[in-house]
Amino acid sequence: MDSVKSGDESAGNGDSTASGLRDVFPGYFLPSDEELREFISDGLVAFDTNALFDIYRFNLQARSEFVAALRLLDGRLWIPNRVGLEVLERRLEVIKECAEANPSFDGEIRKLFDAVSQQIRSFGNRRGLTNQQMSSLQAVADRAYLEISSQASGFFDFDLTVDGSIRGDKILAELEEILKGKIGGPLKDLKLEEAEGARRVAEKIPPGYADHKKDPERAIGDYLVWRQLLAEAASRAKPVMLVTNDQKPDWVREVLGKKIGPRPELVAEMLNVAGAPFHLATVKSFLLLAQKYLGAEVSPTTVTQAQQFSASALGSNRGQSYVLAMRSAFAAVGWPVFETNVDGFIDLIVDTRLGRADLVVKVYREAPLPSAIVTELIDYAERAQHSAVVLVSHTRLTNSAHEKLLRRGTVGFVKWSPDDGGEILCSKLIDELRRIGVNGD
């Protein structure tokens, strides 16, 4: 096995000519516009498994635009052997996920309209409406539900089924054509490489270790993808861009809750092993770069879809389910809620009976929440003069972060799980709003 260096070493280590910060610590500097152009126009552009699966998850227009952008890469497009294997092994799971999208959406919308029905009955009984008047309001809600359900099914028309795709499917056939001659070979000694992957995971050397507790095989799989990418990069001597929606800390550097490029260790290792610059891009970033530098046609709705499928806190399936449960809880008590993203901080705005609350939602694997999140949020709330900012999460704060939050009194915190029920969420939110001085006067 070739020697693979890791950690904070850089290609300039030991080189007396490398004296500047950028030379010694290249992983802490994001690429310039010209360097980004070189990555996508002249470099090796590789995709991981979940990035390729967006072709299945996108609607017809976005899928067509994504595929067209891939074709523009021509010989620069490449996938590790491990990625090809994972696409074939997990393809039917993704088809099942997409085939269930409309029924799942319909079920969640039905829950919201059930809450509307409860509000109609409650309002009617309190305000003396006749049965006929309440039935009239209910009929409006029923028509709205049917119209939303019908239009949603038309907007996302996924015509593949698991049973009908066992032998293959039209999207797979298109991928076969695009990827012909662009798939790396297998590693020579897989068992040796897997052992090396297990060692790196145990020592928390990126990438892969963030998946270790949940899925040890995937953790080692991430390393195998990386190992194959290193080998291919060494043979090409070109800048390397890996397109992935994985935003976990074993791939991405995070500072104060912000994702800031690939882990410096990965940049250093690519330079050490292959002598090549390295950058990470989400599918959204790839599409925008392809639009800017390759002339790809990318519509705003495609960019929005790509953003939703990124593995950020709110973009993950877990995050989406969490926010949806929150929205359902607020709808059940008649509180209007709006999705937003103010300055990259505020995720939801809800009109409670005490007034507006700006909610910051954090769904993390780690517990407790990083204290830096709380510190930055308090500073933001005081600087922006928001009167009602509340952090909502399924996990707890550190003791020091909680004490600081209580001491400063400018930001609320609600620890809530969907299993607690909507009433608990609303009650806790009201209590926190009162604590930070929102009284509805």
Side-chain angles (χ1 to χ4, degrees), residues 134-400:
M134 285 191 282
S135 295
S136 177
L137 292 175
Q138 183 61 52
V140 173
D142 290 343
R143 288 195 299 271
Y145 160 70
L146 292 173
E147 183 66 17
I148 291 172
S149 179
S150 175
Q151 288 198 30
S153 296
F155 293 155
F156 181 69
D157 183 16
F158 190 80
D159 58 358
L160 298 180
T161 64
V162 172
D163 289 344
S165 302
I166 292 175
R167 294 180 180 273
D169 64 80
K170 58 186 179 183
I171 298 176
L172 178 63
E174 197 161 26
L175 275 175
E176 284 187 87
E177 178 200 348
I178 295 170
L179 296 174
K180 187 174 182 180
K182 302 179 178 69
I183 304 173
L187 294 167
K188 293 180 180 179
D189 192 334
L190 182 58
K191 289 189 179 299
L192 184 63
E193 297 289 359
E194 288 177 339
E196 171 65 5
R199 180 192 70 80
R200 289 173 60 123
V201 166
E203 296 179 14
K204 291 192 174 182
I205 300 173
Y209 66 80
D211 287 313
H212 177 60
K213 290 184 179 179
K214 183 178 179 181
D215 190 344
E217 183 177 345
R218 179 175 175 179
I220 295 175
D222 277 4
Y223 165 70
L224 296 179
V225 167
W226 177 243
R227 180 70 181 89
Q228 290 169 341
L229 183 59
L230 287 170
E232 184 68 18
S235 71
R236 297 207 188 195
K238 294 283 188 179
V240 179
M241 175 183 287
L242 175 62
V243 182
T244 174
N245 285 329
D246 194 336
Q247 297 288 284
K248 292 190 291 298
D250 57 333
W251 281 104
V252 176
R253 179 178 173 231
E254 184 171 328
V255 179
L256 298 177
K258 298 181 185 296
K259 312 290 185 182
I260 309 179
R263 285 283 295 262
E265 300 96 323
L266 298 178
V267 175
E269 187 171 6
M270 182 64 74
L271 281 169
N272 283 325
V273 174
F278 175 68
H279 189 55
L280 285 177
T282 62
V283 171
K284 173 190 171 183
S285 298
F286 162 73
L287 289 170
L288 291 174
L289 289 171
Q291 180 185 53
K292 183 174 182 178
Y293 296 112
L294 303 180
E297 292 187 10
V298 181
S299 62
T301 55
T302 295
V303 174
T304 299
Q305 283 188 73
Q307 173 66 34
Q308 291 301 309
F309 287 123
S310 70
S312 62
L314 293 183
S316 65
N317 289 335
R318 186 177 187 182
Q320 289 178 351
S321 298
Y322 189 81
V323 171
L324 188 57
M326 290 177 61
R327 295 177 72 99
S328 298
F330 296 143
V333 295
W335 292 355
V337 60
F338 311 94
E339 197 154 350
T340 182
N341 199 311
V342 179
D343 297 336
F345 280 86
I346 308 304
D347 298 304
L348 296 174
I349 296 175
V350 58
D351 285 338
T352 75
R353 58 185 172 84
L354 290 184
R356 164 177 160 163
D358 295 343
L359 305 185
V360 177
V361 183
K362 294 296 180 185
V363 182
Y364 278 79
R365 294 176 186 272
E366 300 89 3
L369 274 177
S371 59
I373 294 291
V374 175
T375 301
E376 187 180 29
L377 185 56
I378 289 173
D379 292 342
Y380 165 79
E382 294 178 349
R383 183 177 67 252
Q385 297 183 335
H386 281 263
S387 60
V389 177
V390 179
L391 173 63
V392 183
S393 181
H394 65 105
T395 191
R396 64 183 179 85
L397 300 174
T398 62
N399 290 336
S400 60

Side-chain angles (χ1 to χ4, degrees), residues 5-223:
K5 298 179 181 179
S6 62
D8 291 325
E9 299 176 53
S10 73
N13 192 28
D15 184 352
S16 60
T17 64
S19 57
L21 283 173
R22 192 179 295 269
D23 299 309
V24 180
F25 306 106
Y28 290 87
F29 292 85
L30 295 177
S32 65
D33 287 347
E34 177 59 25
E35 288 168 333
L36 286 173
R37 186 196 64 76
E38 291 178 5
F39 272 113
I40 198 163
S41 300
D42 188 50
L44 171 66
V45 183
F47 286 75
D48 79 351
T49 309
N50 272 318
L52 286 180
F53 276 147
D54 278 1
I55 296 177
Y56 283 88
R57 296 181 175 118
F58 283 169
N59 67 16
L60 186 59
Q61 178 184 352
R63 182 185 306 154
S64 176
E65 292 176 354
F66 190 8
V67 168
L70 291 178
R71 293 186 188 279
L72 290 174
L73 294 174
D74 198 20
R76 300 187 304 280
L77 171 63
W78 184 82
I79 65 169
N81 186 274
R82 174 78 182 194
V83 169
L85 177 62
E86 289 179 351
V87 166
L88 295 176
E89 288 183 336
R90 295 170 50 197
R91 176 180 62 91
L92 293 179
E93 297 174 13
V94 176
I95 289 175
K96 182 175 184 291
E97 168 201 322
C98 296
E100 292 176 348
N102 281 329
S104 176
F105 172 78
D106 190 76
E108 294 299 334
I109 290 296
R110 181 68 267 175
K111 292 178 184 178
L112 295 175
F113 274 92
D114 286 345
V116 170
S117 298
Q118 293 176 7
Q119 287 298 309
I120 289 173
R121 289 193 296 272
S122 176
F123 174 78
N125 291 332
R126 288 199 311 270
R127 304 306 175 191
L129 273 62
T130 65
N131 288 337
Q132 183 178 1
Q133 290 171 327
M134 285 191 282
S135 295
S136 177
L137 292 175
Q138 183 61 52
V140 173
D142 290 343
R143 288 195 299 271
Y145 160 70
L146 292 173
E147 183 66 17
I148 291 172
S149 179
S150 175
Q151 288 198 30
S153 296
F155 293 155
F156 181 69
D157 183 16
F158 190 80
D159 58 358
L160 298 180
T161 64
V162 172
D163 289 344
S165 302
I166 292 175
R167 294 180 180 273
D169 64 80
K170 58 186 179 183
I171 298 176
L172 178 63
E174 197 161 26
L175 275 175
E176 284 187 87
E177 178 200 348
I178 295 170
L179 296 174
K180 187 174 182 180
K182 302 179 178 69
I183 304 173
L187 294 167
K188 293 180 180 179
D189 192 334
L190 182 58
K191 289 189 179 299
L192 184 63
E193 297 289 359
E194 288 177 339
E196 171 65 5
R199 180 192 70 80
R200 289 173 60 123
V201 166
E203 296 179 14
K204 291 192 174 182
I205 300 173
Y209 66 80
D211 287 313
H212 177 60
K213 290 184 179 179
K214 183 178 179 181
D215 190 344
E217 183 177 345
R218 179 175 175 179
I220 295 175
D222 277 4
Y223 165 70

Side-chain angles (χ1 to χ4, degrees), residues 374 397-407 413 432:
V374 175
L397 300 174
T398 62
N399 290 336
S400 60
H402 195 251
E403 289 173 3
K404 182 175 184 179
L405 185 145
L406 292 174
R407 186 170 62 253
F413 173 68
E432 281 299 278

